[in-house]
Amino acid sequence: MAITTAPKLTRRPTPADSTFRYMCLGAGVLVLIVLGLITYTMTTKSWDAVSHMGLSFFTDKHWDIANQHYGALSYIFGTLYSATIAILLAVPLSLGIALFTTQVAPLWLKRPITYLIDLLAVVPSVVWGLWGALVLAAPIRTFFNHIHDIFKDVPVLGTIFGAAQGKSFSTAGIILAVMIIPIITSLSREVMETVPPTDREGALALGATRWEMIKGTVLPHSRTGIIGAVMLGLGRAMGETIAAALVIGGAAQISSNAFASGDSLPAVIANQWSEADTLQKSALIGLAMTLFAMTLIVNLIANSVVNRSERRRAV
Amino acid sequence: MAATTRISGIGGGGQPATRTVAPDLRAQKSWRRTKSGIMQWLMGASIVVALLPVIFVVITVIGKGASSVFTGFPKFLTAAIPNQERKVGPGMGPAVVGTLLITALATAIAVPLGILGAVYLHEYGGRSPFAKVVRFLSNVMTGVPSIVMGLFIYVIFTLNFGYSGLGGALALAFLMLPIIIRSVEVMLKLVPTSLREASYALGTSKSRTVLTVVLPSALPGVISGCLLAVARAAGETAPLLFTIFTVNQTNRNVFSGANTTLSRQIFSNALSSLSGAQGRAWGAALTLLAIAFLFTIIARIASARFSAKR
């Protein structure tokens, strides 16, 4: 507790009291220990492969198991590309949902919407993956090819919307987007709910329409929180394994074509682990270390941003 | 602009006595209002767009999984997994047993630790620098990819003790831990300080206050938070790839020997092109979805009762 000036009114701690206190402290410390051990084990266990390849482990795009040549770049690219597509799709939808729930919907409708959107998070990722691979992949290829036909002669868009595969960066992006919508929505909703009612009513009283009120008061007020929410979503999208493993296509390539098959760091680990020899396992742990570092950076920034916006609100 | 026309409508004329009809103060049609309306429609539409995939998934899983699960019910949930992928028919018995046992063990590990951690953060640590660090890193830990957690347990546990359900449970428990810490801390914040003070005034020690006053009054919220974490853990696949391996026979001993879960079976069968394996994958997906929804609904009821009590 923060009280420092008030006299201590609690009884002197008994042995049982101290024991309980240390148990609680221990559980808190466990978090630090686990994070520290993850860093330590990932680094040491991947050392064989990373020292075998040198720095080219991160900069080489060839992953050649037969020749024991392990370059992670195309997987790093695939992770970032599919996560970017997911963010581009998920952010407008999530903000739309959050704004609708907090600013537009009548009171009685708020809770049902929240529950329904949370259902997206209840469906396990392996079920999304199963659906994506066996049901979505075929029709989405036709759909992607329609987009390809429209844009194929346009200079830049033609290379982004290239010839389509059913399992591709975009298929993974769509599935990942659905999976991160709940977290971005709920965090943005929380910050939007803290917009002072006087600000909103003031804007409306000045004759602003509802949308102008949102643009003028709600969005500026919750900008930091929304950025934090989006970054947390990005971290989730990068680390999501099974759904990506089932729908991204399993092709190690760097291509600007969003409709081409690719592969992501977690998907490679999941798909290659069972048949890997010792050095390859070490290389796969190297991929996990890379992924851990990437998500850690994103999460550290995201949590700092969220904390800062919370502190500003508390003042 | 709408505002000016309205004002001239009120003030204009200069002969108020002759006015008989009240001025129309309703919003005038204008591009600004149309735009606002369009944006609000788009917001509403984004809900529908986001819900479409989940509706499709639930319908597909029920449509394709029901025939597997309910043919000769409950044989699908009890029979062993066929050794050959091309065999058509049940079952998923070992996976059902594995899912329940491993999730239960993970819950038994994560819930006490998570509650203790949250009690430390809210009741003991508070705003101290160390508690702030723990809270921050606990939030960061929520974002650790599940596959990284799986490999971590593989390195520190499975390499030393071999494949077992316990390894999988440990990985799931560490994934649940920060979620539980966070949700329980939120619930502890809702417990009024006056309750704690009343307890201290009676001469109760801090640990007794926490255990007999604070936690019981936050109980429904705590249960709800834990159940949501359980629902997520039950569907996890990635960390189990390295820690439990997979088997086709039921292994009731979670502490030793390879095991299997529904999620693990869906993953391996989804990669198969054979209809027998795919049918079992859909059946397993339906079972898993049912388990996840069940936990979520119970959690919702618990939290609804909690907020009704406040």
Side-chain angles (χ1 to χ4, degrees), chain B:
Chain B
M1 269 176 69
T4 39
T5 45
R6 235 185 294 155
I7 289 165
S8 64
I10 298 165
Q15 292 164 308
T18 59
R19 187 193 297 281
T20 47
V21 187
D24 186 2
L25 291 176
R26 283 175 305 178
Q28 302 290 306
K29 280 256 181 279
S30 73
W31 166 238
R32 292 170 52 229
R33 298 209 173 269
T34 320
K35 191 174 161 193
S36 178
I38 293 172
M39 294 315 285
Q40 289 178 52
W41 272 103
L42 283 177
M43 290 170 202
S46 57
I47 295 177
V48 179
V49 173
L51 285 178
L52 278 180
V54 81
I55 295 169
F56 270 124
V57 164
V58 171
I59 291 176
T60 319
V61 168
I62 293 175
K64 298 204 174 205
S67 61
S68 304
V69 176
F70 294 109
T71 315
F73 190 81
K75 195 157 178 269
F76 183 82
L77 302 178
T78 51
I81 301 163
N83 284 322
Q84 287 157 321
E85 284 194 343
R86 66 168 177 275
K87 256 192 199 166
V88 181
M92 276 290 146
V96 174
V97 172
T99 300
L100 295 178
L101 286 179
I102 291 171
T103 312
L105 187 58
T107 311
I109 299 169
V111 166
L113 286 174
I115 292 178
L116 285 177
V119 166
Y120 167 71
L121 284 183
H122 192 257
E123 307 292 325
Y124 291 101
R127 283 161 183 267
S128 73
F130 184 69
K132 275 185 181 166
V133 171
V134 171
R135 188 176 294 118
F136 182 78
L137 289 180
S138 168
N139 286 340
V140 170
M141 192 174 162
T142 320
V144 172
S146 59
I147 194 155
V148 173
M149 199 59 92
L151 274 175
F152 164 64
I153 298 296
Y154 169 81
V155 172
I156 64 160
F157 182 84
T158 312
L159 279 181
N160 300 321
F161 302 99
Y163 293 117
S164 75
L166 178 60
L170 279 174
L172 295 185
F174 284 144
L175 286 171
M176 291 163 76
L177 182 66
I179 305 177
I180 295 180
I181 289 182
R182 195 191 173 113
S183 61
V184 173
E185 199 195 351
V186 171
M187 291 306 150
L188 292 180
K189 271 184 197 157
L190 294 178
V191 177
T193 319
S194 54
L195 273 184
R196 296 184 184 87
E197 286 162 354
S199 171
Y200 293 149
L202 295 172
T204 320
S205 68
K206 184 144 185 169
S207 56
R208 273 195 82 119
T209 306
V210 169
L211 288 171
T212 59
V213 176
V214 179
L215 282 177
S217 64
L219 193 64
V222 171
I223 291 175
S224 155
C226 293
L227 282 174
L228 288 177
V230 172
R232 274 189 64 175
E236 271 298 347
T237 317
L240 304 178
L241 297 176
F242 322 106
T243 48
I244 65 166
F245 203 59
T246 183
V247 285
N248 288 339
Q249 298 300 320
T250 304
N251 177 4
R252 285 202 174 76
N253 186 352
V254 267
F255 296 104
S256 86
N259 217 315
T260 194
T261 66
L262 288 165
S263 54
R264 181 72 186 80
Q265 289 298 323
I266 299 171
F267 180 58
S268 46
N269 286 340
L271 297 168
S272 165
S273 55
L274 299 156
S275 66
Q278 288 190 2
R280 279 190 293 280
W282 287 112
L286 179 58
T287 317
L288 186 57
L289 209 54
I291 294 175
F293 272 100
L294 188 71
F295 277 119
T296 311
I297 291 168
I298 301 174
R300 289 279 172 242
I301 294 171
S303 75
R305 296 184 90 180
F306 184 50
S307 48
K309 231 175 64 175
R310 304 252 124 236

Side-chain angles (χ1 to χ4, degrees), chain A residues 146-165:
Chain A
H146 280 306
I147 301 181
H148 169 57
D149 288 341
I150 297 170
F151 289 108
K152 65 184 166 195
D153 296 325
V154 185
V156 181
L157 295 178
T159 60
I160 295 177
F161 302 117
Q165 295 290 322

Side-chain angles (χ1 to χ4, degrees), chain A residues 39-126:
Chain A
T39 318
Y40 175 73
T41 53
M42 291 295 117
T43 319
T44 50
K45 285 290 165 182
S46 62
W47 189 246
D48 281 350
V50 176
S51 60
H52 173 73
M53 287 298 296
L55 205 62
S56 60
F57 183 83
F58 304 104
T59 55
D60 194 303
K61 61 179 181 177
H62 296 290
W63 183 269
D64 187 348
I65 300 162
N67 294 320
Q68 299 204 320
H69 182 95
Y70 302 109
L73 190 64
S74 49
Y75 302 140
I76 298 175
F77 169 81
T79 305
L80 293 175
Y81 201 13
S82 54
T84 310
I85 296 171
I87 287 291
L88 289 179
L89 294 173
V91 169
L93 285 175
S94 308
L95 292 186
I97 298 166
L99 285 174
F100 188 85
T101 354
T102 55
Q103 314 296 330
V104 181
L107 209 57
W108 59 269
L109 202 58
K110 284 186 179 179
R111 190 172 275 212
I113 294 176
T114 312
Y115 282 2
L116 281 175
I117 296 302
D118 284 347
L119 283 189
L120 296 175
V122 175
V123 178
S125 72
V126 69

